[in-house]
Each structure stands twice: as C-alpha cells, then as structure tokens.
Amino acid sequence: MRQLEGGPGARPVATHPALSGLLQLQTGGTYATDAASLLGLLLAGPSAGGAWCGVVGTARLGLEALASAGVRLDRCVLVPDPKESWLEVTAALTDVLGVVAVAPPANGVGERDASRLAARLRDRGAVLLTLGAWPRAEARLRLAETEWIGLGRGHGHLQARRVTVQVHRGTAPARSRRLWFPDLDQQIRPAAERRAEVSRHLRSVG
Amino acid sequence: MPRILVLWAPDWPIVAGSEGVRAGAPVAVLAGGQVLACSQAARVEGVRRGMRRRDAQSRCPELVLREHRPDADARAFEEVLVAIEQVAPGVAPLRPGLCALHVPSRFYGGEVEAGAVLAEHLVRLGVWDVRLGVADDLFTAQQAARQASAQDSLVVPPGGSPAFLRELPVDVLDTGQGGDPELVSLLRRMGLRTLGAFAALSAADVHTRFGTHGALLHRLAGGAGTQPVSRRRVPPELTAALALEPPLDRVDQIAFSLRTTAERLVADLAVRGAVCTTVRIEIDADGQTVALRRWMHPRWFAAPDLLDRVRWQLQAAVIGAPVDAVRFVPEVIEPVGDHAEDLWGGGIDERVERGIARVQGIVGHEAVVQARVQGGRSGRDRHLLVPWGDQPVAARAAEQPWPGVIPPPAPATVFEQPQEAWVVGAEGLPVGVTGRGLVTGEPSRFRPVPDAGWLPVASWAGPWPVDERWWDVASARRIARFQVVGVDGSAWLMIVEDGRWHTEARYD
C-alpha cells in the first residue's frame, strides 16, 4: 500500500546516518517537522550526498547550525521572502533541485495546492521538507524530552543536548529514538536509551 | 626608422588618486607606509618621495594621504590611452603615467605639431600636466619627456641622441624599466658621472665588466637603443546599443526589440572566443540615462540572460518616460576556454541554473540568495547573503578569533529582527545588568517572544558583555548576552541593551 502511495518511481534518498532505521527519505515524499534543527538534519543527508537544496519562505534558519549539521551552503539556494508566490517558487525549484525546504505562510496551505505539488514531486523525483504543518505528509517529525547539557544557574554555557525524535506516519503509533543532537563534539548521533544510561551511571557510582 | 614619441604624465598616482580632493591641496600617495608620490603643493612644503608617513605629516599637517592602488592607476591611465588612440593608433603603455608611440608627424604636419595636438587632446580630458619627448629611440625620448615643460614637447633632432644624452647624469639609469641602482652607484664611484662618460667606454670592456645588462644600458647611454615600441592593438568596440524609435514604455516590448541586439553581442564575443561575465546595462529615456546597473553572472551571459537582466532592471527602476535607447556594455570579458566544462562536467549544473533564473523571473533578482557563514559575534552578524549570481562582497573572515562569540552549538533559528522579551526575578522585578557587567538578580520567569506565555527559568548563564565598535558612534553597541533554558526544554539566546531584553535566536 505504501508503495502505491509513493508511486512507482519512489527511490530512496540519502538520509542522515543518525536517522537510519527510523526514517528513510524517498523521492516524491513530503516530510513535515516543527523544529528548525530537525529541518537541518533532514536537509543534511541529501546535501552531503551532493544534491542541490532550496529553502523557501524563511529567513530565520541559522546558517551556521545548518552548516554544522552537514548542509553544504555552496549548493543551497535561498528565497527568504517569496511573498504571495511562495507556492509557485517552491514548484519551480522542485523542478530542478533535489530537495526543497519550505516554511508555509501562517494561514497554511490548501489541500488542493498540496496534492498538486505532491504530484509534481513524484513526477520530478524531488523531496519536500516543510517547517510547519502540511496536509498528508509522508511523515511528521517532532522533538520531545529535550535535555540541555552544560548550562547551570548563572554559569556554564549550552554545550550539548539529548532529545527524543518522534516520527509519526499517518495514524500509526510514533516511532522514536533518543539522539545526541548535538553531542559535546557537535556531532549528531544516536544516544543510549534513557534507562540504559541511568543504569550505567548507577554502575559507575557503585 | 620611425621616430618615437614618449608621453609622460608626472606623479600619475597623484592624478589618479586625488579625486575628491580640493584642487591645489597637498596630496601624497603612500605605499607600504612610505611616500610614493606627492603633488607639487606637497613638494613645496618639503614632502619627498620615500619619506615615512609621520615625517611627511610633520612637514605638512594638512597633507591629504591616499593609499596606493596600482589597479586604479592603471584603470585611470586606460582612459588616457583610449584618448590618445583617438588621435593616433598604436600606443604602447610602458607603465601607468608613461606611454610611447610612433610620432604621427606626417599627418599633423610635423613632430612639434603632433605633440601639440596630443597635449591639447589630453588637457581637454583633464590631464593638465603632460610632457612629451620625441627622439630616435625610446630611452632618449623618455629622457626628453622628463626635461620638457608641462604641456610642451622637447624634440631631439634625428641623429642627435648621443649629443642630447651626453650631459645627463648617470642617475637617470637608476629609475624606470631595467634600472640598475647598483650599477649607477658603481659608476659614480668610478668617477663616471655623465652618460657621455659611460658611453665613451669600449663596448667590449663594459660587457666584460658589467655583463649583458650593463651592455644594454651602455648602448642606451650612447643613444643606440633599439628597443622597439610594442604597440597595443586597439580594443574592439563591443558595446551593443539599440535606439528605440518610437520610444517604448512596455517592458515586454522593449525586451522583444532587444533580442537581436543581445544575440549579436553574444555572437560578436563568440567570434573572438570570449564570453562576457559582467555587463553594464544603461537605459535611456528622454535622452538621459535613467537606469544604470552592473550585472554579474555565475557563468556567462547568453542572449536570454541579457534580456532577463533588462527586464529586471526595467521592473526595478521607476522610469517616468518611454525608453528610447538601451546599451549593453560588456565590462568583464573572459576567454571561453576558462569557462569550458571539464571532462566530468563542472561548475553549476546548467539545469539548476536555468531553474533558478526562472525563480528570479518570478520574485526578482534580489530575492534569490546564496548564503555563507562569515565572521561576527552573533547569529545575524555571521550570515552573509548574496543575490544569486552576484560576486560575494568582502566577507569578514570566519576563521579569525571573534572574542565574545557564543561557543557552539549554533542556534537553529536566528530571528531577522531581535524579538522583544521580558525577564523577571523572583519578586517579579525586571532583571537588568549593571554598568560593571553584573546581573541585578537571578532570573526566575521569562517571556522569550511577544506571542509566548510566561515560562519559569530552568537554567541560565550570562551576562556576557560585548562592547562592539566603541570607536564608531553610529554603529557602537554595548550589550550583554544570556542563554536561557525554560522548564519545557526550549533554549534561547537573549540580549540586554539599554535595560531592555530581546531574543536574538532560539536553539530549537
């Protein structure tokens, strides 16, 4: 059934290793997320594989964070303020770029526009990532249980964080994974599950 | 053998570098902290070539100092070369401020007359101080030009070079092309003080003692130089222009009319094996240039690209009257070989580029940008956005240390404008930062953005004071940065400036 939805030509697209086994991007798919850092993580996979990326509709993405997640900025095109023609611009970019990230405007996107764009994505073999809600997205990603490391009460600075990335597909129960996002060396990698981590701490104390 | 005319504009770095300076003001051009050239007014005050900056300023406090820009000198001299070519073709530029050509004496009825025509032509261009020398060989003509008075020419009669050079001091071999200060110093110590005395030595002896270069200078000193004038070819006229008669006011009509002009320009360049990477487009209305802009291309301009640029320029400019002429002036032309695709394909994928050009057609040239990370202290300062296809402007080096920069991880969301925020302590009083960089109370609740609710603070750090650009009143900033994490796990980068809190970025 999923193969039918993805269309006959759905091919896997390079995905960040931290997400392997949790999510595999496929051409023609739409992936929605609500956190800018997750958008960067999704962009990083194809970008590191040499794909051209486009970012439409937001001037807020931290470029340094994108670069450190692994996005190649020299192969990125940004249209920060497309005004009312954001859908047209997104469609034009999906024609030529492998991956397009879009932040839809506050009033959202219509069902009809979304399904027309989805048909175009399947036709061109592109991937659409959205920062914000999107109707009938292939998968929705969100961050939960964020835990920052390095900051105290009046001392230290942010150094690393542990999060749980949750992937929702349709109405199925969410799949999730604990990630260092990033770890102390600014790398993004899977973290041990919380329980295992706690027990290790206990062992080290005992 | 054709006679040679040398045209010398003294103190050319001063002429080229003193735009915007009051006429007659003392000006000096510095290279490496030393005076390279100075104007007559400065020379009167005692400023000399080779002087240090501080010495020059102490002699003449009102001295206007300019850094030496060799490129600008050459560019300014290019105008002079073009002007000379209108009078006589085949100019050989020797260095900025000095050029040579064969005297067009037959056409103008004599060498003095030809010199007068040239001088008059250059004075009309605004180059007041030109000196001309005419002689059988290049070296003698240069020396003659140095002896001529302003706007005048000194003619050494045919065969008169040895006589003219005889009384000159050997120091003239010191400067200019092929100059040899060591040889000059040695000759002086040997008691040979004039070129005549040097020339009187036997050529074989000079060659034995001073080598090939010495022998060459010996021949020059004897007036027997045979250095040819390598004349440059007049650069081809590539500007493509179209006069619109009757004038048009609709963008699509203008672009359609220009199609053949643009195609002809690209074809003209292709015949010469060249492509244009930077073009200036000038649009005239009512006989005046109303819109002028330089466009750069990530690869090179094809005819449709040129038409796109005209379209964008017309849409961006407010032109009251119908357009009656459009000119394409190619500014940077490069050999097509430099831009050929390598064996495995290269540069920017052509398909990608066409697609992006289409997006630029929808939202405008400036709205499509390419991003880079540059040096700076906070998120927004570290972003460098350049319109797609333009050359990146000078970026601040990101590798250099930026004291006060927030260590990684970098925030994933950086607001275009800092958002208004509120931070209060346990008693509900706003938290501030004292002049000594201390926080007035421990933050306990905060509101990071106007459309968020109040949130208890889980952890925080700061203040990290930054006193940026205090030497410049307009851009000086005195701020303190904080990192604040709420109990829900959201992390924020906040600043305090003049007692007011703002949120710069979010770690989400």
Side-chain angles (χ1 to χ4, degrees):
Chain A
M1 188 66 200
R2 174 153 302 136
Q3 261 191 345
L4 280 178
E5 273 175 8
R11 297 183 311 276
V13 175
T15 312
H16 196 282
L19 293 175
S20 69
L22 188 67
L23 177 77
Q24 173 65 55
L25 298 179
Q26 289 197 316
T27 56
T30 306
Y31 302 86
T33 169
D34 54 359
S37 56
L38 269 178
L39 188 74
L41 186 66
L42 291 174
L43 271 174
S47 181
W52 276 82
C53 301
V55 179
V56 181
T58 175
R60 288 185 172 184
L61 286 189
L63 299 176
E64 231 182 339
L66 285 184
S68 70
V71 178
R72 287 180 55 186
L73 290 179
D74 55 335
R75 294 173 85 85
C76 259
V77 185
L78 280 71
V79 188
D81 186 15
K83 306 211 170 62
E84 63 277 6
S85 47
W86 68 275
L87 199 64
E88 207 180 341
V89 169
T90 309
L93 285 178
T94 53
D95 280 356
V96 289
L97 306 181
V99 188
V100 179
V102 60
N107 52 10
V109 56
E111 281 276 342
R112 230 178 106 220
D113 290 334
S115 60
R116 273 170 54 195
L117 196 57
R120 194 148 174 175
L121 287 172
R122 279 195 294 276
D123 189 36
R124 304 285 176 177
V127 178
L128 185 71
L129 310 173
T130 71
L131 185 60
W134 193 268
R136 279 177 309 173
E138 187 94 345
R140 297 184 306 281
L141 284 83
R142 53 186 291 268
L143 292 179
E145 302 175 48
T146 312
E147 182 190 346
W148 282 99
I149 291 162
L151 199 64
R153 293 198 69 87
H155 57 85
H157 67 86
L158 296 177
Q159 289 176 19
R161 95 176 143 165
R162 255 182 313 204
V163 293
T164 301
V165 176
Q166 296 179 335
V167 180
H168 300 261
R169 285 177 184 273
T171 52
R175 303 175 60 189
S176 64
R177 172 176 297 171
R178 198 83 179 139
L179 282 187
W180 279 107
F181 194 10
D183 66 6
L184 289 170
D185 302 322
Q186 307 308 314
Q187 302 297 316
I188 303 168
R189 60 181 173 87
E193 286 300 323
R194 174 165 287 185
R195 212 163 291 127
E197 200 112 338
V198 169
S199 63
R200 203 180 65 212
H201 278 300
L202 286 178
R203 263 204 306 279
S204 69
V205 168
Chain B
M1 193 173 148
R3 304 256 293 156
I4 290 169
L5 181 146
V6 165
L7 184 143
W8 181 47
D11 299 329
W12 185 254
I14 295 288
V15 179
S18 61
E19 70 256 17
V21 179
R22 182 174 52 82
V27 186
V29 171
L30 298 170
Q34 288 193 330
V35 174
L36 180 82
C38 56
S39 67
Q40 187 56 38
R43 211 168 288 132
V44 169
E45 298 287 334
V47 180
R48 291 286 176 274
R49 192 188 150 93
M51 221 174 234
R52 285 187 311 162
R53 173 195 293 259
R54 192 185 294 174
D55 295 339
Q57 277 175 324
S58 74
R59 301 272 173 102
C60 176
E62 62 271 30
L63 189 66
V64 179
L65 291 169
R66 291 288 161 95
E67 275 306 315
H68 185 223
R69 292 177 306 157
D71 300 356
D73 287 2
R75 252 199 323 275
F77 198 58
E78 181 71 24
E79 284 175 33
V80 173
L81 292 179
V82 170
I84 295 171
E85 272 162 352
Q86 291 169 354
V87 179
V91 183
L94 301 176
R95 59 182 164 84
L98 192 68
C99 63
L101 61 157
H102 292 165
V103 195
S105 55
R106 251 203 345 219
F107 185 81
Y108 291 109
E111 288 166 346
V112 178
E113 287 80 356
V117 169
L118 268 175
E120 193 190 340
H121 198 70
L122 291 186
V123 167
R124 210 175 297 146
L125 194 73
V127 185
W128 293 100
D129 195 355
V130 283
R131 296 153 193 244
L132 302 117
V134 182
D136 285 340
D137 64 301
L138 187 60
F139 178 72
T140 314
Q142 274 187 47
Q143 299 312 321
R146 285 185 186 280
Q147 303 224 335
S149 49
Q151 301 182 15
D152 202 358
S153 54
L154 183 73
V155 177
V156 179
S161 297
F164 174 76
L165 294 174
R166 190 170 300 139
E167 292 309 316
L168 296 182
V170 283
D171 303 54
V172 297
L173 293 173
D174 188 333
T175 53
Q177 278 173 331
D180 192 343
E182 272 182 38
L183 177 79
V184 170
S185 151
L186 186 55
L187 289 177
R188 292 173 65 86
R189 279 177 280 144
M190 290 165 81
L192 301 168
R193 292 179 188 283
T194 62
L195 289 184
F198 181 41
L201 301 177
S202 118
D205 289 348
V206 170
H207 192 275
T208 316
R209 175 67 181 79
F210 299 112
T212 321
H213 190 65
L216 174 71
L217 292 180
H218 179 250
R219 277 204 301 283
L220 291 181
T226 50
Q227 194 184 356
V229 173
S230 52
R231 311 196 285 173
R232 74 167 193 170
R233 211 183 280 169
V234 180
E237 180 60 47
L238 287 169
T239 303
L242 179 71
L244 298 166
E245 188 60 47
L248 299 175
D249 55 0
R250 276 184 42 200
V251 173
D252 49 346
Q253 284 179 336
I254 296 170
F256 186 76
S257 319
L258 280 168
R259 180 175 297 240
T260 46
T261 313
E263 279 166 1
R264 204 179 58 233
L265 172 66
V266 174
D268 273 357
L269 286 167
V271 167
R272 296 185 167 85
V275 289
C276 172
T277 56
T278 305
V279 69
R280 194 172 74 230
I281 298 179
E282 301 173 354
I283 296 172
D284 288 8
D286 268 348
Q288 285 182 333
T289 304
V290 290
L292 186 150
R293 200 183 150 161
R294 291 174 78 218
W295 296 93
M296 285 178 255
H297 198 279
R299 272 146 64 94
W300 68 79
F301 283 104
D305 300 327
L306 287 170
L307 297 181
D308 274 349
R309 302 307 187 272
V310 171
R311 228 173 259 136
W312 299 341
Q313 191 167 333
L314 284 168
Q315 280 160 359
V318 183
I319 300 172
V323 171
D324 51 27
V326 178
R327 278 183 303 282
F328 297 107
V329 185
E331 288 206 332
V332 177
I333 294 168
E334 292 171 9
V336 72
D338 291 359
H339 287 268
E341 290 208 348
D342 51 25
L343 192 55
W344 314 115
I348 297 162
D349 187 354
E350 196 164 344
R351 205 171 59 94
V352 170
E353 198 180 285
R354 293 265 170 263
I356 293 169
R358 222 171 81 217
V359 175
Q360 283 182 316
I362 300 170
V363 292
H365 173 72
E366 313 281 340
V368 182
V369 296
Q370 220 174 357
R372 273 179 36 197
V373 174
Q374 65 173 356
R377 287 195 178 78
S378 75
R380 209 72 206 164
D381 283 352
R382 294 178 73 85
H383 290 188
L384 177 68
L385 300 176
V386 185
W388 175 264
D390 280 7
Q391 299 294 315
V393 288
R396 295 188 290 268
E399 307 79 42
Q400 274 167 10
W402 288 91
V405 70
I406 306 293
T413 301
V414 179
F415 298 106
E416 300 104 305
Q417 293 294 326
Q419 306 277 308
E420 207 175 344
W422 297 267
V423 177
V424 296
E427 294 84 28
L429 292 173
V431 175
V433 176
T434 65
R436 287 180 180 271
L438 295 172
V439 68
T440 56
E442 183 160 333
S444 73
R445 284 184 309 136
F446 73 118
R447 228 179 115 185
V449 283
D451 50 3
W454 286 91
L455 202 64
V457 172
S459 53
W460 62 280
W464 297 306
V466 175
D467 197 355
E468 263 187 337
R469 301 188 64 81
W470 45 264
W471 58 88
D472 182 6
V473 177
S475 61
R477 287 183 86 194
R478 216 175 118 81
I479 57 177
R481 290 205 166 82
F482 284 84
Q483 280 178 335
V484 181
V485 175
V487 286
D488 62 347
S490 64
W492 309 81
L493 180 62
M494 307 176 93
I495 57 171
V496 186
E497 187 171 12
D498 297 334
R500 301 179 66 84
W501 285 80
H502 286 92
T503 301
E504 269 190 342
R506 178 176 183 184
Y507 298 85
D508 66 343

